[in-house]
Amino acid sequence: MSITLDRPVRTHRTAISHRDLTPIQQTGWNTVEELTYDLEQAAHAGANVAAELVLAHATAAQFLGIDLPAGDILVQCSCIDCPDACDRITAFKACAEYLDGNVQRPQCPACVKDHRHYGD
Ligand SMILES: [Zn+2]
Ligand SMILES: [Zn+2]
């Protein structure tokens, strides 16, 4: 069985800072990040987790109040050049990525606009 959620989540904003979430939302987001990590490990081991990932993130987007295009996932900005330690959560496809060692890290649209980091 394969289910792909094909409807976008529409709320009223495209990003929110982790520090601006309520404590319950922060706990929820942390759980989604852990679940995402576990699913990515399963994907590396050969499992097809696309539907689970999309469903978990669409649910999280609703819970956090963030717009999410159909089929996309949420990521937290990990900009290393930030004057204000950006921790925005936003749609992955809206972000740029830079290479930190051999790890790809997302940089949110606001950071890309102000101080795009191209990595090593
Ligand atoms: Zn930044
Ligand atoms: Zn950012």
Side-chain angles (χ1 to χ4, degrees), residues 22-103:
T22 66
I24 289 172
Q25 285 175 317
Q26 289 186 352
T27 302
W29 171 249
N30 295 344
T31 303
V32 168
E33 283 200 308
E34 285 166 19
L35 176 65
T36 301
Y37 179 81
D38 290 347
L39 287 172
E40 283 170 353
Q41 296 305 304
H44 287 146
N48 183 353
V49 300
E52 286 85 346
L53 208 53
V54 165
L55 183 58
H57 280 259
T59 307
Q62 202 82 61
F63 182 63
L64 302 182
I66 304 172
D67 277 356
L68 188 65
D72 204 352
I73 62 168
L74 296 170
V75 289
Q76 187 171 333
C77 182
S78 64
C79 176
I80 56 172
D81 293 334
C82 246
D84 56 353
C86 177
D87 61 358
R88 285 185 193 85
I89 298 166
T90 190
F92 174 70
K93 285 175 187 160
C95 294
E97 283 188 292
Y98 65 91
L99 206 56
D100 176 13
N102 53 7
V103 182

